[in-house]
Amino acid sequence: MGEAKRRTESGSAPRKLNETHEPKAPVNWPHGHVSVEITDSDQGECVCVTIHGQRHYLHTTTFAALLAMGDQKLNEWLKSNPFPNLRTVVEATRKGNFD
């Protein structure tokens, strides 16, 4: 994992952000890359999304917004992607077929 820096809105000192990238070869795809779990009832956030080992605890509304925005961007990408085989794999994955 690398680190990225950016200025805050006020222009103050940069804040460190974690950044991850896909491995060169899939490792236990998709479960080795991403998982989603419902959190225990004593936590303020309701969903835990883990991407490449980085946990992100989200409220359901944030998770729903992430899904909607991701789906919108994926649709844009599918329209412009010239590789029909890759498009077929993405469509199958959207339906929950991870094989």
Side-chain angles (χ1 to χ4, degrees), residues 3 14 23 43 49 67 70 83 86 92 95 98:
E3 288 187 352
Q43 291 184 294
V49 178
L67 291 175
F83 305 105
L86 189 52
K95 294 175 183 173
F98 302 127

Side-chain angles (χ1 to χ4, degrees), residues 15-28:
R15 173 174 72 122
K16 291 182 181 180
L17 301 174
N18 288 330
E19 183 178 290
T20 64
H21 294 270
E22 291 286 346
K24 292 183 182 188
V27 179
N28 188 26

Side-chain angles (χ1 to χ4, degrees), residues 24-81:
K24 292 183 182 188
V27 179
N28 188 26
W29 190 89
H31 306 291
H33 298 249
V34 63
S35 68
V36 178
E37 301 171 37
I38 303 296
T39 61
D40 294 332
S41 60
D42 62 339
Q43 291 184 294
E45 297 91 1
C46 303
V47 178
C48 178
V49 178
T50 304
I51 303 171
H52 298 291
Q54 293 290 313
R55 289 188 178 132
H56 306 274
Y57 291 90
L58 308 173
H59 293 284
T60 53
T61 51
T62 304
F63 183 63
L66 175 64
L67 291 175
M69 289 178 189
D71 199 51
Q72 180 182 16
K73 292 299 177 186
L74 188 56
N75 284 333
E76 290 174 20
W77 180 84
L78 286 170
K79 287 178 185 175
S80 65
N81 182 358

